[in-house]
């Protein structure tokens, strides 16, 4: 759980400023919920061979893009109107960065949906769907936990998300090796297995973006940038 002293955003004499920060956080979490759903629905469309649902996911990417633009504008207006400092400035800057990660998660969902359409048109399900389901569960859990860490200003939970990134990388590499074996066994599998490989890569990138969000949560709460640093260093920051 976050320390009480860390949970200090939105505590201002100006009620209007409080409302603006609360609305910024709410809209960010709404966008997070949307991109979570986009990834989940894209993968389900792939597994079910449901081209219609995949098309819905692709169309939904426009809403994700609009939310990114709206949040960027709102954050910029807050900076211009309120000239926030210290913790409030960290919040607004972090949201701007994390919104970009959410938009890219939406892009990955769109890529998966595109592959779902391609594979549904080809018919027979290729190998690798078990691996896709497994990695999907893992990266969606990371994304959900990163968003929850943001909502609760929980740097310890954010650190746990960062630690999961290595496991996702290992799962991706193992799945890629399995697909390579299928392709070597029968060259007719190459095209379809490559499509599955692209899906796995997109999911691995979702995990990367969840990790980026977690790093920004730590920046918000602790005031230190832990990007491009070993997890051990991030542990020291969170433990302070």
């Amino acid at each position: 759980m976050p320390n009480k002293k860390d949970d200090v955003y939105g505590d201002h004499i100006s009620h209007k400023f409080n409302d603006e920060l609360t609305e910024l956080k709410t809209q960010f979490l709404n966008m997070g919920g949307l991109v979570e759903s986009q990834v989940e629905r894209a993968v389900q469309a792939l597994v079910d061979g449901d081209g219609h649902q995949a098309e819905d996911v692709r169309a939904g990417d426009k809403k994700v893009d609009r939310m990114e633009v709206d949040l960027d504008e709102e954050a910029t207006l807050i900076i211009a109107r309120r000239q926030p400092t210290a913790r409030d400035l960290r919040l607004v800057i972090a949201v701007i960065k994390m919104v970009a990660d959410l938009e890219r998660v939406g892009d990955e969902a769109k890529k998966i949906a595109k592959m779902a359409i391609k594979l549904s048109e080809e018919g027979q399900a290729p190998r690798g769907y078990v691996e896709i389901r497994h990695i999907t569960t893992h990266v969606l859990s990371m994304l959900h936990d990163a968003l929850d860490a943001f909502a609760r200003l929980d740097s310890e939970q954010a650190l746990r998300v960062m630690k999961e990134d290595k496991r996702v990388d290992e799962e991706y590499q193992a799945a890629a090796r399995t697909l390579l074996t299928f392709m070597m066994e029968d060259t007719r599998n190459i095209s379809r297995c490559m499509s599955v490989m692209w899906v796995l890569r997109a999911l691995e990138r979702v995990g990367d973006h969840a990790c980026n969000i977690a790093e920004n949560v730590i920046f918000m709460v602790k005031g230190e940038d832990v990007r491009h640093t070993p997890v051990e260093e991030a542990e020291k920051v969170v433990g302070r």
Side-chain angles (χ1 to χ4, degrees):
M1 294 293 291
N3 295 326
K4 185 66 176 177
K5 65 183 178 64
D6 291 332
D7 192 6
V8 291
Y9 293 95
D11 183 19
H12 303 91
I13 294 175
S14 169
H15 293 299
K16 181 63 175 174
F17 192 12
N18 289 341
D19 292 344
E20 288 171 356
L21 292 176
T22 298
E23 180 65 15
L24 187 70
K25 290 185 284 187
T26 299
Q27 290 304 314
F28 173 78
L29 290 170
N30 287 343
M31 184 178 178
L34 176 59
V35 298
E36 276 189 87
S37 174
Q38 285 282 93
V39 173
E40 186 173 18
R41 293 177 66 233
V43 172
Q44 194 62 52
L46 175 78
V47 172
D48 292 345
D50 189 341
H52 294 296
Q53 179 162 299
E55 286 287 4
D56 287 344
V57 172
R58 292 182 69 183
D61 188 58
K62 291 184 175 64
K63 183 175 181 180
V64 174
D65 291 342
R66 287 197 302 272
M67 293 181 82
E68 179 194 24
V69 172
D70 290 345
L71 272 161
D72 279 347
E73 182 178 353
E74 182 58 31
T76 301
L77 288 173
I78 288 174
I79 291 173
R81 283 195 300 253
R82 304 297 179 181
Q83 298 181 342
T85 59
R87 64 183 186 268
D88 301 318
L89 183 59
R90 294 201 305 269
L91 167 64
V92 178
I93 289 173
V95 166
I96 291 172
K97 292 179 179 179
M98 292 186 294
V99 162
D101 278 298
L102 289 182
E103 191 276 333
R104 292 186 184 111
V105 171
D107 286 345
E108 300 302 337
K110 185 178 178 181
K111 291 177 189 175
I112 296 168
K114 182 179 179 180
M115 288 300 170
I117 293 167
K118 178 178 182 291
L119 290 169
S120 69
E121 290 172 348
E122 291 178 1
Q124 181 183 0
R127 310 292 282 272
Y129 278 12
V130 171
E131 288 81 3
I132 284 174
R133 287 193 187 97
H134 181 71
I135 293 182
T136 298
T137 299
H138 198 165
V139 299
L140 282 178
S141 176
M142 286 177 66
L143 181 58
H144 182 82
D145 289 348
L147 293 169
D148 186 55
F150 167 81
R152 299 190 299 114
L153 300 175
D154 189 340
S155 58
E156 292 180 1
Q157 180 162 314
L159 179 63
R160 290 194 290 272
V161 172
M162 288 180 64
K163 290 180 177 180
E164 289 299 308
D165 190 50
K166 182 178 179 181
R167 285 185 53 203
V168 170
D169 290 343
E170 291 170 350
E171 290 167 1
Y172 167 70
Q173 291 164 6
R177 287 194 296 269
T178 299
L179 285 171
L180 182 60
T181 300
F182 293 151
M183 288 187 282
M184 292 173 65
E185 289 174 349
D186 188 343
T187 56
R188 291 173 298 181
N189 292 329
I190 291 177
S191 176
R192 295 173 64 75
C193 283
M194 286 302 298
S195 295
V196 174
M197 195 86 79
W198 279 111
V199 172
L200 290 168
R201 176 58 177 163
L203 291 168
E204 189 266 340
R205 290 294 297 148
V206 171
D208 288 342
H209 291 303
C211 185
N212 291 346
I213 292 170
E215 290 171 349
N216 277 293
V217 170
I218 293 173
F219 169 69
M220 284 171 51
V221 177
K222 295 296 182 177
E224 292 195 38
D225 192 340
V226 296
R227 293 176 301 170
H228 315 302
T229 61
V231 172
E232 293 77 16
E233 291 300 318
E235 285 179 326
K236 293 177 184 178
V237 170
V238 171
R240 289 172 192 158

